[in-house]
Amino acid sequence: MFGLGWSEMMVVGIVALIVIGPKDLPGLFRTMGEFTGKARSMAREFSRAMNAAADESGVREISSSIKAASNPAKFGTDKIKEATGMTKGPVTQALSEERQAMKEKMSDAMAKAATDRQAQEAAEPPVADTPAKTPKADT
């Protein structure tokens, strides 16, 4: 509650007991409870009023149309794709086959380059790892 831990609430309770006194403390708690109840009821009433205003202004209709727009089947994008010829038809099939051929050509070229590189590395003699000597400076 209010970001206070049990130890902080204990300190607040002890201070309240000392400052207010044991006689008036139950009345304070009762008053605070009534105030909290009134604040909650006002918040509930405000929330209901805002929901009613949203219903009157048509916000719910807008949100339902946005939800329908996020669903392609309800929004009609299938019909748009049909009208533009973007559905799986002969044109799409030809594009798909062309892309597959390009993919295979690129894969073959990359495989050939890799085997050529491996063959070149195998043909070269191994280089010995010797530390480089640096010339000493005359002082």
Side-chain angles (χ1 to χ4, degrees):
M1 176 164 130
F2 302 117
L4 297 176
W6 283 106
S7 60
E8 289 95 359
M9 290 180 69
M10 182 76 75
V11 171
V12 169
I14 291 171
V15 169
L17 181 64
I18 292 171
V19 172
I20 296 172
K23 235 197 274 185
D24 297 329
L25 202 57
L28 174 72
F29 286 143
R30 186 177 308 111
T31 305
M32 292 211 30
E34 289 173 0
F35 176 75
T36 304
K38 286 180 184 178
R40 285 184 180 175
S41 68
M42 287 173 58
R44 252 185 265 120
E45 183 62 32
F46 179 75
S47 177
R48 286 184 192 137
M50 294 308 285
N51 285 339
D55 287 342
E56 288 177 12
S57 66
V59 171
R60 291 200 195 264
E61 293 173 12
I62 292 171
S63 69
S64 66
S65 66
I66 289 173
K67 286 179 184 175
S70 66
N71 186 353
K74 288 184 180 178
F75 197 61
T77 54
D78 295 337
K79 295 296 180 183
I80 293 171
K81 285 181 180 179
E82 255 179 49
T84 58
M86 295 296 289
T87 58
K88 290 195 181 226
V91 174
T92 308
Q93 185 66 28
L95 285 174
S96 179
E97 290 171 0
E98 182 181 334
R99 288 183 183 137
Q100 182 64 27
M102 290 298 291
K103 177 186 169 262
E104 289 173 3
K105 184 178 175 184
M106 287 181 3
S107 294
D108 292 341
M110 287 188 285
K112 183 181 180 309
T115 54
D116 290 346
R117 182 178 41 84
Q118 288 174 347
Q120 183 182 10
E121 287 175 358
E124 291 178 3
V127 178
D129 291 334
T130 58
K133 294 184 181 179
T134 58
K136 292 185 180 181
D138 292 330
T139 54

